[in-house]
Amino acid sequence: MDSYPAIEDHGLIGDLQTAALVTCDGTIDWFCAPRFDSPSIFAALLDKEKGGYFQIAPHDVRYVTKQLYLPGTPILITRFISADGVAEVTDFMPVTGERATDAHRLVRTVTMVRGSMRFRVECRPRFDYAREEHQLERHHNGYVFRSRSATLTFNPVDPVRRLISEQGDVHLEGGDLVAYGTLNEGDTGGVVLETGGAEPRIFSPEEIQGMFEWTRDYWRRWLERSRYTGRWREMVERSAITLKLMTYAPTGAMIAAPTTALPELVGGTRNWDYRYTWVRDTSFSVHALLGLGFTEEVSQYMNWLDERIREAGDHQDPLKIMYRVDGSSDLHEEVLDHLEGYRGSRPVRIGNGAADQLQLDIHGEALYAMHLADEQGIRVSHQVWKSTVRLVDWLCHNWDQPDAGIWESRHHPRNYTFGRVMSWVALDRAIRLATRTGRPGDMTCWTEQRNRIYNQVMERGYDRARGTFVQAYDEKVLDAALLAMPSVGFVTPSDPLWQSTLQAIERELVSDSLVHRYDPVHSPDGLPGHEGTFNMCTFWYVEALARSGRLDDARLTFEKMFTFSNHLGLYAEEIASTGEQIGNYPQAFSHLSLINSALTLNDLLDTEADARRRR
């Protein structure tokens, strides 16, 4: 690779246990196996020289590229267009199922639509984040890249000679494979990469077509379960597919993003590993998934969350903020000094040291999700309820203390207003659950502490001199997380206290409709530098505008956000001042909040339209 592609110049493919990123020029520059959080096999995204990649692209031809998804699927098509012809590379990963496996397939086929082109195939794996050496073995039917801890099998698709000719056009270069082949109009060729130690073999075109059709039909059948028929259907469905791609099928846990260390500021140090399951992120996804009708996914996640609640409640501990997809909680943070980072953005981190922070708000998100699921008939067992009671009892006695907050500050703990609001949500939803289901709980204590939190937030979380709710008690800094206050029911959208807060956020945190989380200059978070606007906060802003009755403003802001998505409808974590996408990619928070905003805004626009018709 000669340079780093833009973060948004990637498509995502996956098999519900891991995923890969594919650039607009046909390069897989990020792939971990056998799970999302496993060591990388291709990581040129984090070091173009050392990281490793797999490219299929025209050789010695000037071309332009276009990318699209096969409608209703995550099957990615990269089109190469030149004066010599038009070719398409199709990338997909057959779904592996709900049993964890080391065997995963990357299927890459090339079809010559018009004319003729010579292609270059480069497969340069670098196992374990480029920390392990490997050997390349030539077999009769293919090749095997073998390291100490993993193997990658390179399987040609018949007829082999079209893409990988053995007549002097295959070169083994120090453990890497470089091959050349010429395709003429109507020709197809391809490669299947397999993890898990499979013996190399030649795949027939019929096998490839069968895997393609099965994968296509799986995703279209899944998407047919969506009941969303409102405005912005295409963007909503693409976001739903993206969230599904980031879900680990064996447990139902959703990762925050399939990448690590993509910077919040190019060249900066805010480079975190997001390949884990945050209780906050996935709990917020429950509203989005239920709104679209995906109750099975919600049920699977709630089973995963129930286990985490049992672990915490049974030990009378708070929930951890994040876990691995299998529910384990060892997320030791480590710096990979040998990798230069995306466009020189160091350090490159794996693991996440924030995992052991106290963040009080996650209990609110967990109980919020449990309450929503219960309303749809997805109810917890007796044992899980007992653990939930112990967790809520713990919160009753521990909510009034400083914590690290929703943005995971690595500065000193503070009394964050949002943390108190979500602690109120936890107690309020626990009371509603117990009342609705007739299950036991210390209602007297829960109600008393819920009311104490409410009164405290109104007294200390609202700065009367400024006329706004603030990020933390006894401070004057604003925080975009406060935009969620009306949606969780803590304040009514028409309340003057909230309206003045919304106006202050617009003045200080909103830039051309995009929303900053907070101002790190006035709210130190223990890290140098600044960051872009946060996509989730912009979608929260859309909801806040809509709930406040400003539907025209909400709709314009929402549709402006579409201009910042990439060519495939995908979003990273943030938008830089240049308009580029930055941060880990694609980001679950961005896509789930897009869905929630679409659901809320669509319903309110329909209500307004009905009211006009009645008049």
Side-chain angles (χ1 to χ4, degrees):
M1 292 181 64
D2 296 328
S3 62
Y4 289 96
I7 289 173
E8 65 260 34
D9 285 349
H10 290 86
L12 178 73
I13 60 174
D15 64 6
L16 304 185
Q17 293 190 23
T18 187
L21 294 184
V22 187
T23 69
C24 290
D25 69 350
T27 303
I28 295 178
D29 61 1
W30 182 253
F31 174 57
C32 300
R35 298 192 323 199
F36 296 110
D37 57 355
S38 297
S40 65
I41 295 175
F42 301 122
L45 187 60
L46 297 180
D47 193 309
K48 66 180 187 297
E49 300 294 336
K50 301 176 185 175
Y53 61 91
F54 178 27
Q55 183 181 42
I56 300 178
H59 180 64
D60 285 340
V61 176
R62 296 186 64 180
Y63 58 83
V64 296
T65 65
K66 305 291 182 181
Q67 248 181 356
L68 72 155
Y69 280 120
L70 186 72
T73 79
I75 297 173
L76 185 66
I77 303 171
T78 304
R79 289 167 54 80
F80 296 97
I81 303 168
S82 78
D84 296 321
V86 176
E88 294 181 347
V89 174
T90 300
D91 289 300
F92 66 95
M93 296 181 68
V95 174
T96 51
E98 296 184 0
R99 178 172 295 181
T101 178
D102 291 341
H104 301 272
R105 287 176 173 171
L106 288 163
V107 181
R108 314 200 71 190
T109 63
V110 187
T111 301
M112 199 67 215
V113 178
R114 172 178 60 80
S116 176
M117 281 188 192
R118 185 165 173 78
F119 280 85
R120 183 182 68 259
V121 178
E122 291 186 68
C123 191
R124 303 180 184 272
R126 297 293 184 268
F127 296 94
D128 188 24
Y129 309 107
R131 293 184 294 190
E132 286 186 5
E133 298 291 333
H134 71 272
Q135 293 78 43
L136 174 56
E137 303 170 0
R138 185 196 296 265
H139 292 246
H140 179 66
N141 290 323
Y143 303 85
V144 175
F145 300 89
R146 193 181 305 279
S147 77
R148 177 182 56 81
S149 64
T151 61
L152 184 69
T153 305
F154 185 101
N155 305 290
V157 175
D158 200 38
V160 175
R161 65 183 182 277
R162 286 182 178 169
L163 193 60
I164 305 169
S165 172
E166 289 290 347
Q167 299 174 356
D169 283 342
V170 176
H171 308 276
L172 309 186
E173 302 177 353
D176 299 332
L177 185 150
V178 180
Y180 300 87
T182 298
L183 297 184
N184 298 312
E185 186 170 324
D187 286 347
T188 61
V191 174
V192 178
L193 292 187
E194 287 187 281
T195 65
E199 286 296 312
R201 66 185 182 91
I202 297 173
F203 279 76
S204 70
E206 291 75 21
E207 286 180 279
I208 298 299
Q209 184 65 20
M211 287 190 287
F212 172 86
E213 292 177 358
W214 190 92
T215 303
R216 178 198 63 195
D217 295 346
Y218 171 91
W219 284 99
R220 287 181 173 172
R221 284 194 303 269
W222 179 80
L223 195 58
E224 286 172 358
R225 291 167 42 203
S226 172
R227 63 186 181 208
Y228 183 81
T229 57
R231 304 164 182 86
W232 316 294
R233 182 171 177 177
E234 184 176 350
M235 290 296 289
V236 167
E237 290 186 345
R238 180 51 56 192
S239 289
I241 291 172
T242 304
L243 292 179
K244 179 70 170 176
L245 277 173
M246 290 190 277
T247 301
Y248 184 66
T251 63
M254 181 186 297
I255 57 170
T259 58
T260 182
L262 292 182
E264 297 173 14
L265 172 69
V266 173
T269 63
R270 298 168 183 262
N271 316 321
W272 314 110
D273 193 345
Y274 277 15
R275 297 172 298 157
Y276 309 113
T277 298
W278 269 253
V279 169
R280 177 187 303 111
D281 301 38
T282 315
S283 295
F284 274 136
S285 76
V286 167
H287 181 267
L289 294 171
L290 286 175
L292 299 181
F294 293 115
T295 55
E296 181 179 328
E297 283 69 21
V298 171
S299 180
Q300 289 176 323
Y301 168 66
M302 292 308 300
N303 289 336
W304 182 91
L305 179 61
D306 290 348
E307 287 299 312
R308 310 291 80 77
I309 289 175
R310 286 186 61 178
E311 292 165 2
D314 292 353
H315 292 90
Q316 297 185 328
D317 288 330
L319 280 170
K320 289 185 176 292
I321 68 166
M322 70 181 93
Y323 301 83
R324 293 186 181 273
V325 289
D326 61 2
S328 60
S329 56
D330 178 16
L331 278 74
H332 172 70
E333 189 170 299
E334 180 181 356
V335 172
L336 302 179
D337 287 322
H338 64 289
L339 298 180
E340 74 168 5
Y342 177 79
R343 295 184 180 176
S345 303
R346 293 175 182 266
V348 174
R349 295 183 177 94
I350 57 173
N352 200 308
D356 294 324
Q357 288 183 347
L358 174 65
Q359 297 178 20
L360 291 167
D361 70 282
I362 62 168
H363 304 94
E365 282 104 20
L367 268 295
Y368 178 79
M370 186 181 291
H371 177 259
L372 288 175
D374 185 84
E375 288 183 323
Q376 299 298 316
I378 304 171
R379 296 192 165 91
V380 299
S381 67
H382 167 67
Q383 188 60 47
V384 171
W385 178 251
K386 287 174 61 178
S387 300
T388 303
V389 168
R390 285 192 283 270
L391 184 65
V392 176
D393 288 344
W394 178 92
L395 187 63
C396 271
H397 296 95
N398 290 277
W399 63 264
D400 195 11
Q401 61 177 303
D403 71 334
I406 181 176
W407 308 128
E408 300 176 359
S409 171
R410 300 201 175 192
H411 203 46
H412 61 81
R414 298 151 76 191
N415 293 306
Y416 286 99
T417 302
F418 183 76
R420 297 300 199 276
V421 168
M422 294 308 294
S423 294
W424 175 90
V425 170
L427 292 165
D428 180 73
R429 298 318 191 264
I431 292 166
R432 296 191 199 188
L433 277 166
T435 301
R436 183 166 63 236
T437 62
R439 287 179 167 177
D442 191 345
M443 303 290 279
T444 300
C445 178
W446 295 359
T447 303
E448 177 186 341
Q449 295 305 313
R450 180 195 63 180
N451 295 344
R452 279 191 62 199
I453 296 172
Y454 182 89
N455 291 329
Q456 187 189 84
V457 169
M458 288 302 183
E459 291 169 8
R460 299 185 62 192
Y462 187 82
D463 186 297
R464 282 166 175 74
R466 290 204 62 190
T468 68
F469 289 100
V470 290
Q471 184 179 61
Y473 293 172
D474 306 318
E475 299 182 16
K476 295 185 178 296
V477 176
L478 289 173
D479 189 335
L482 301 172
L483 289 166
M485 291 175 70
S487 64
V488 298
F490 189 88
V491 295
T492 60
S494 60
D495 192 311
L497 301 181
W498 167 247
Q499 284 297 311
S500 62
T501 301
L502 178 58
Q503 292 164 14
I505 288 174
E506 287 182 299
R507 288 193 302 270
E508 299 183 26
L509 298 182
V510 177
S511 174
D512 186 30
S513 81
L514 301 174
V515 182
H516 292 274
R517 293 189 293 181
Y518 53 87
D519 183 353
V521 174
H522 297 101
S523 178
D525 55 13
L527 296 165
H530 60 275
E531 61 179 14
T533 56
F534 207 74
N535 292 333
M536 178 186 69
C537 295
T538 303
F539 288 122
W540 280 359
Y541 176 50
V542 170
E543 273 203 75
L545 289 171
R547 292 178 186 275
S548 296
R550 296 168 55 184
L551 293 180
D552 285 344
D553 291 340
R555 184 168 188 173
L556 179 59
T557 301
F558 192 48
E559 299 208 7
K560 277 185 176 181
M561 268 303 286
F562 292 167
T563 69
F564 291 101
S565 76
N566 80 337
H567 56 289
L568 297 168
L570 303 182
Y571 289 90
E573 182 180 23
E574 301 182 13
I575 304 296
S577 58
T578 58
E580 291 179 290
Q581 297 206 35
I582 52 176
N584 283 304
Y585 169 93
Q587 175 84 347
F589 242 156
S590 299
H591 287 278
L592 69 90
S593 56
L594 182 155
I595 294 171
N596 285 333
S597 295
L599 291 168
T600 299
L601 183 54
N602 191 75
D603 286 348
L604 291 173
L605 286 170
D606 283 348
T607 299
E608 182 187 58
D610 289 343
R612 283 200 305 268
R613 283 193 292 270
R614 287 195 295 270
R615 290 198 297 268

